[in-house]
Amino acid sequence: GIELIDSYVFNQAEYIRFNSTVGRYVGYTEHGLKNAEAWNSDAGILGQEQAELERFCKHNTDIYYSAILDKT
């Protein structure tokens, strides 16, 4: 399957990440944990990430697979 990882970095340190496999945000710092809790309870924010997965990943995967199959 396809997995989207959307990382948010501040001062070169990842503080929060959206992982499409689990379908939620995971925080890595105190600030990230607070944001993850808030963002995970916001259906609109989660919906934006799911839409990004559909729009970008699935579209490009179809293109890549077609290119690979054309070469075989």
Side-chain angles (χ1 to χ4, degrees):
I2 300 168
E3 180 178 53
L4 171 70
I5 301 290
D6 196 358
S7 296
Y8 295 79
V9 177
F10 181 73
N11 284 346
Q12 300 179 342
E14 182 179 34
Y15 70 95
I16 191 170
R17 167 191 292 184
F18 176 80
N19 182 325
S20 67
T21 300
V22 294
R24 13 187 340 102
Y25 290 92
V26 179
Y28 295 101
T29 65
E30 186 178 347
H31 178 67
L33 290 168
K34 287 180 183 174
N35 278 342
E37 190 176 336
W39 295 359
N40 285 330
S41 65
D42 187 322
I45 292 175
L46 287 176
Q48 287 175 339
E49 290 287 2
Q50 294 295 344
E52 195 66 9
L53 174 65
E54 292 292 325
R55 183 189 70 78
F56 181 77
C57 295
K58 301 233 165 104
H59 170 76
N60 285 311
T61 301
D62 289 344
I63 293 170
Y64 296 140
Y65 281 136
S66 293
I68 291 166
L69 293 174
D70 287 346
K71 293 179 182 174
T72 58

